[in-house]
C-alpha cells in the first residue's frame, strides 16, 4: 500500500463527508486528528506529513464506511459534548449541540442548591448526567434508560471520567422505580413523531428507541410529566426537558394541566429555536 500525505487524507475525508455534512472540511480535520492522535491545528500545519501503513489501512476502512452515509461519530467511536469526548456506538444517540442548552440551564439551577437530588431520564451515552457531575464536583446524579445497550455505553463513559461513585445508572422506563422527591429532573427523551421517522435520514443509523416519540412525538415527555406530579420536590423542584420546537405550545398546556400552579417557560437553543421546557414548582 503506497503512503499518502495528510493533505491527501484530508481531501479524501472531506470528499466522503461532503454529501452528508455541511461542515465536511472541519469534520475531516477532526477525523484525521483522531486517527493520528494529534490536534486539528497540527493536522493543518503538517500537510506533507505521511501516514503510516496502519493509519492508511484505518483511513481506508473509515472512507468506505463514510461513503455509505454512516455518521462520523459512529465511525470514530466518540463525539464531543460540552467540550469533552464521549464514547458513542449505534446503541446511543449522537450527542447534539442543542442539548448543551439544557445542560447550561440545569447548571444555573444547580448553582443555588447545596446538595440537590438530580436525575437524568433517558441518559443514552450519559452525556448529560456525566457533564453535570463533571461541571459540579460533589454532585451525585441518577440516570435511567430503557436500553441496556445504551447503559453499557454510559458505563464506559462513566469509567472514562472516573465517576462511578457519583453517577448511578439504572435500567428503567422513565422514573418508574425511582420515587424521589427530585430537586432537578433533566431529560432528552425521544420526541420525533413516529410517522416522520420513515423519511428522516437519522433513523437509518441512530437507534429507533432514541428517536421515536410516538404518534405526535410527545408520548414519553407526557409520560414523564405525569410522573413529575408526585416526584418533583414541592416547592422548588425544577425540570428541564428537551423538546422539538413544534411541541412548544402543546407541552406548555400539558404542564398546566398535569402540574397546576407550576411556572413554565421554553428556553431557546443557540439557533434561537424553542428547545427546553423549563418547569418550576
Ligand atoms: C434522544 S436520546 C437522548 C440520549 C442522551 N440523553 C442525549 O441527550 O444524547 C433518548 C434516550 O432515551 C431512552 N429512552 C427511550 N424511551 C425511554 C423510556 N421510556 N424511559 C427511559 N429512557 C428511554 C433511549 O433509549 C435513548 O437512550
Amino acid at each position: 500500500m503506497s503512503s499518502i500525505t495528510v493533505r491527501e487524507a484530508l481531501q479524501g475525508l472531506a470528499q466522503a463527508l461532503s454529501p452528508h455534512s455541511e461542515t465536511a472540511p472541519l469534520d475531516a480535520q477532526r477525523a484525521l486528528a483522531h486517527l493520528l492522535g494529534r490536534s486539528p491545528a497540527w493536522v493543518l500545519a503538517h500537510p506533507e506529513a505521511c501516514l503510516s501503513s496502519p493509519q492508511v489501512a484505518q483511513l481506508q476502512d473509515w472512507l468506505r464506511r463514510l461513503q455509505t452515509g454512516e455518521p462520523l461519530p459512529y465511525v470514530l467511536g466518540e463525539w464531543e459534548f460540552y467540550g469533552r469526548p464521549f464514547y458513542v456506538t449505534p446503541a446511543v444517540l449522537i450527542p447534539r449541540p442543542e442539548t448543551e442548552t439544557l445542560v447550561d440551564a440545569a447548571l444555573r439551577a444547580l448553582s443555588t442548591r447545596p446538595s440537590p437530588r438530580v436525575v437524568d431520564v433517558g441518559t443514552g451515552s450519559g452525556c448529560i448526567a456525566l457533564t453535570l457531575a463533571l461541571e459540579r464536583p460533589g454532585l451525585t446524579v441518577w440516570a435511567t434508560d430503557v436500553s441496556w445497550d445504551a447503559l453499557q455505553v454510559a458505563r464506559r463513559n462513566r469509567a472514562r471520567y472516573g465517576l462511578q461513585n457519583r453517577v448511578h445508572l439504572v435500567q428503567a422506563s422513565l422514573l418508574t422505580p425511582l420515587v424521589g422527591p427530585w430537586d432537578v429532573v433533566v431529560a432528552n427523551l425521544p420526541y420525533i413523531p413516529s410517522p416522520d421517522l420513515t423519511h428522516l435520514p437519522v433513523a437509518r443509523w441512530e437507534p429507533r428507541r432514541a428517536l421515536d416519540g410516538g404518534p405526535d412525538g410527545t408520548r414519553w415527555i407526557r409520560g414523564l410529566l405525569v410522573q413529575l406530579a408526585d416526584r418533583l420536590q414541592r416547592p422548588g423542584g425544577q425540570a428541564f426537558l428537551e423538546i422539538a420546537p413544534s411541541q412548544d405550545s402543546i407541552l406548555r398546556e400539558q404542564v398546566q394541566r398535569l402540574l397546576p400552579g407550576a411556572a413554565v417557560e421554553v428556553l431557546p437553543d443557540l439557533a434561537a429555536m424553542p428547545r427546553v421546557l423549563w418547569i418550576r414548582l
Side-chain angles (χ1 to χ4, degrees):
M1 197 179 293
S2 61
S3 186
I4 68 166
T5 63
V6 162
R7 179 186 287 115
E8 289 163 336
L10 276 178
Q11 283 166 352
L13 283 163
Q15 207 171 7
L17 285 160
S18 58
H20 315 286
S21 166
E22 286 168 10
T23 52
L26 271 180
D27 289 348
Q29 282 163 28
R30 203 166 171 175
L32 197 56
H34 186 81
L35 178 70
L36 303 181
R38 304 279 192 169
S39 67
W42 186 95
V43 166
L44 279 186
H46 296 82
E48 303 304 335
C50 283
L51 276 66
S52 68
S53 297
Q55 286 167 342
V56 173
Q58 177 79 84
L59 177 70
Q60 285 177 337
D61 176 56
W62 286 4
L63 288 171
R64 187 184 49 72
R65 291 168 63 188
L66 291 171
Q67 274 151 4
T68 68
E70 184 174 347
L72 180 62
Y74 290 153
V75 171
L76 300 183
E78 65 176 36
W79 202 239
E80 201 166 282
F81 181 77
Y82 220 83
R84 298 182 184 92
F86 286 85
Y87 297 119
V88 292
T89 74
V92 297
L93 187 91
I94 297 161
R96 303 292 206 274
E98 51 268 33
T99 305
E100 297 185 353
T101 301
L102 182 153
V103 169
D104 282 334
L107 284 171
R108 280 196 296 276
L110 290 168
S111 68
T112 59
R113 288 161 192 255
S115 48
R117 283 175 52 84
V118 182
V119 62
D120 171 27
V121 185
T123 199
S125 61
C127 62
I128 299 176
L130 295 166
T131 299
L132 294 178
L134 286 163
E135 292 293 318
R136 174 78 198 266
L139 181 73
T140 295
V141 184
W142 294 75
T144 74
D145 205 292
V146 272
S147 162
W148 180 252
D149 292 341
L151 287 169
Q152 299 315 307
V153 179
R155 192 160 283 130
R156 274 187 76 203
N157 281 316
R158 183 177 66 174
R160 180 174 197 160
Y161 291 109
L163 289 171
Q164 294 88 328
N165 295 334
R166 293 202 288 122
V167 176
H168 303 294
L169 301 170
V170 183
Q171 188 176 23
S173 182
L174 303 177
L175 285 171
T176 300
L178 306 175
V179 278
W182 299 96
D183 296 302
V184 173
V185 175
V186 293
N188 176 17
L189 283 161
Y191 55 67
I192 299 177
S194 316
D196 295 359
L197 285 173
T198 46
H199 47 261
L200 279 181
V202 283
R204 189 172 155 216
W205 298 100
E206 297 187 74
R208 186 169 185 112
R209 254 185 182 173
L211 303 171
D212 190 344
D216 71 347
T218 66
R219 177 179 178 187
W220 301 113
I221 298 173
R222 276 186 291 117
L224 181 58
L225 291 175
V226 170
Q227 293 191 339
L228 290 184
D230 59 3
R231 292 175 212 222
L232 198 54
Q233 179 70 51
R234 255 177 216 278
Q238 300 195 32
F240 299 87
L241 315 182
E242 185 166 325
I243 63 168
S246 60
Q247 295 161 350
D248 178 345
S249 48
I250 176 135
L251 285 172
R252 280 177 199 255
E253 281 168 29
Q254 291 289 328
V255 173
Q256 269 143 16
R257 193 171 68 78
L258 296 163
L259 300 157
V264 57
E265 272 179 58
V266 174
L267 308 173
D269 62 19
L270 290 176
M273 302 302 279
R275 187 61 66 186
V276 178
L277 192 65
W278 177 24
I279 300 162
R280 281 167 292 159
L281 293 189

